Amino acid sequence: MATINRFADLHDDITAWRRDLHEHPELLFDTHRTSGVVAAKLREFGCDEVVEGIGRTGVVGVIHGKTNKSGKVIALRADMDALPIHETTGAEHASKTDGKMHACGHDGHTAMLLGAATYLAETRNFDGTAVVIFQPAEEGGGGGKEMVDDGMMDRFGVQEVYGMHNYPGLKVGEFATRVGPLMAATDQFTLHIEGLGGHAANPAACIDTTVVSSHIVVALQTIASRNTDPLESIVVSVTSFETESKAYNVIPQRVEIRGTVRTLTPETRDMAEAALTRIVENTAAAYGASATIEYERGYPVTKNHADQTAFAASIAREVAGDSMVNDDVDPVMGGEDFSYMLESRPGAFVFVGNGDTATLHHPDYDFNDDLIPVGCSYWAKLVETAMPA
Ligand code: NI
């Protein structure tokens, strides 16, 4: 593996930063301590510009190379927020806040990008400008969108943007990416089904909302099995089914159903929304019930651009070796709000192996600190190669 030697020296420091962030997890846009730590470190490293409060609690650092003949501006992005999960790792650096934990490794992403920033500010061995982006609220709040909407890309003249996420199950230092859709669009729905409640012993006098709703749950499975091209990918999952009553002898008046729809193309996404609406309204009507539908479009597809993905894969090969890079991995149906940055500028998102650890969002998950020199080297080489001195 051809990691940059400087990161072997910095490994202990960056690990300490990572573990400090892990001990102090913050949710969504509430990353005040984390943002403060990030901004203070970027200033300490000698970044040419450090701006806080972009997209509420986002932080951006600017590092100029030794020269700027190329006029190029390359941005690297990390996420900072944690999850509302009770940590069970038992690690010495475990969360000090009950019910919050870094279960997605954003502590590691932030620490690795800080590591890259200190190296880039120290060496400045490139011709152009590196922009480091630290975003809040990746886990559902759309912090990436807020930063883009706040004018970040224009303000800092960003021309290309790159993102990275650790991936349990891939070996440490193994990279995976692909051109085109890498992660799914994530939509969610809430269905309110209303029938006619009454005594459970007298169903003929009722419109049994539970039965109607059960038919709806089953019928929704046909969006994937009957409405979607068999070569396309889609997930329709019902994740919550709640009746108004917990009694044994009451047919409830109302049922609320929740779930998620994951797709990889705009066409499938539109089709799924239309099919869901049609199935829910008409199934309810078929049994004499009524339905109201709240369909909320979440993060768009994380779609990698061809040239930038080929470039990112070439950097990964340089850092990790040919056999450790898969540049045509299957997409995953999770979502990522780096998608908004990729809608705004060309770029690429890569997965990097976290080793044989608990899965993301699991209470036993912990970011693997062995990954630090790999991730930092990837960032640094990406900048130095995109804008050679
Ligand atoms: Ni994550």
Side-chain angles (χ1 to χ4, degrees), residues 79 104-106 109 138-139 165-166 336 360-361:
D79 38 17
C104 202
H106 298 184
H109 302 162
E138 194 289 317
E139 300 288 0
H165 205 294
N166 78 93
E336 178 40 82
L360 300 174
H361 296 204

Side-chain angles (χ1 to χ4, degrees), residues 246-322:
K246 291 214 187 310
Y248 291 99
N249 57 356
V250 175
I251 288 175
Q253 175 82 12
R254 291 181 200 87
V255 169
E256 189 186 271
I257 298 168
R258 294 176 184 218
T260 183
V261 177
R262 309 293 175 105
T263 51
L264 293 175
T265 66
E267 294 76 23
T268 310
R269 193 182 200 186
D270 290 344
M271 179 280 295
E273 182 176 354
L276 181 138
T277 306
R278 187 183 70 236
I279 288 168
V280 172
E281 283 175 352
N282 289 302
T283 306
Y287 295 98
S290 64
T292 47
I293 301 165
E294 293 167 45
Y295 194 95
E296 202 181 314
R297 290 202 169 202
Y299 297 168
V301 175
T302 302
K303 196 173 175 190
N304 276 341
H305 298 247
D307 292 350
Q308 287 72 21
T309 305
F311 175 67
S314 75
I315 301 301
R317 277 187 209 101
E318 211 183 300
V319 172
D322 286 355

Side-chain angles (χ1 to χ4, degrees), residues 313-337:
S314 75
I315 301 301
R317 277 187 209 101
E318 211 183 300
V319 172
D322 286 355
S323 64
M324 294 286 270
V325 180
N326 180 355
D327 62 6
D328 192 23
V329 74
D330 287 336
V332 297
M333 300 309 277
E336 178 40 82
D337 90 338

